[in-house]
Amino acid sequence: MAALQVVGTMISMKAQMDAGRAAKRQAEAQAADALIAGRRSALQYRQKGLEALISTRERIATGIARAAAGGTDAFSGSTLSLATYDTGVGVENFYVTQENSEMAVNAGILQQQQLIAAGNSAMRQARMGALTTGISGFMEASRTASNAGGSWTK
């Protein structure tokens, strides 16, 4: 009977370790996905930054073309003021999207690190659970063996 308890304890310990490994692998897969998601968001922000610069260039070109078509100096006065203002707004938007891009990458890295830590924690918990199961199971088997006459083979 004690031998069956030992076998049952060992099977339970293995199951706990397998569950911990599976939880760790799942957390590592989620961590890889988080990193990829952060990089994907970063690329989207960079694209928005480029679109902001292109839009700025188009607004400035339109203003210059309208001024020239109207017979005024396209590179002075209110046309120049509007071009300068548009340039400032466009560059500011570009830099904001670049900062957002960096933050998205950093957020992905942070989430990746948190998920890896969660996977490591799951593995530690599995080890402790298996150890606790092993100790209590082996102690119970020892008690059973001593109550049955002191032999592990009975």
Side-chain angles (χ1 to χ4, degrees), residues 34-146:
L35 186 61
I36 291 169
R39 289 179 179 163
R40 186 179 313 118
S41 292
L43 289 174
Q44 290 170 347
Y45 280 118
R46 288 183 185 273
Q47 181 64 35
K48 286 180 184 177
L50 292 175
E51 289 169 4
L53 290 178
I54 290 169
S55 174
T56 299
R57 186 181 64 192
E58 289 172 353
R59 279 193 314 275
I60 292 170
T62 300
I64 291 171
R66 283 184 182 160
T72 61
D73 184 5
F75 299 102
S76 66
S78 60
T79 305
L80 180 62
S81 294
L82 284 173
T84 303
Y85 173 77
D86 277 344
T87 301
V89 169
V91 169
E92 181 179 348
N93 288 340
F94 174 76
Y95 283 125
V96 166
T97 59
Q98 297 310 297
E99 288 174 6
N100 288 342
S101 173
E102 289 177 30
M103 286 190 291
V105 168
N106 291 336
I109 291 169
L110 178 62
Q111 189 174 7
Q112 176 197 34
Q113 290 170 347
Q114 289 172 338
L115 288 165
I116 287 172
N120 291 337
S121 177
M123 194 65 213
R124 274 191 302 276
Q125 288 175 344
R127 284 188 193 115
M128 290 305 296
L131 180 63
T132 303
T133 298
I135 291 171
S136 63
F138 293 138
M139 287 177 66
E140 184 63 32
S142 177
R143 270 189 239 118
T144 301
S146 39

Side-chain angles (χ1 to χ4, degrees), residues 19-33:
R21 280 188 205 94
K24 184 176 181 181
R25 279 193 300 270
Q26 181 181 8
E28 287 171 347
Q30 289 174 338
D33 289 345

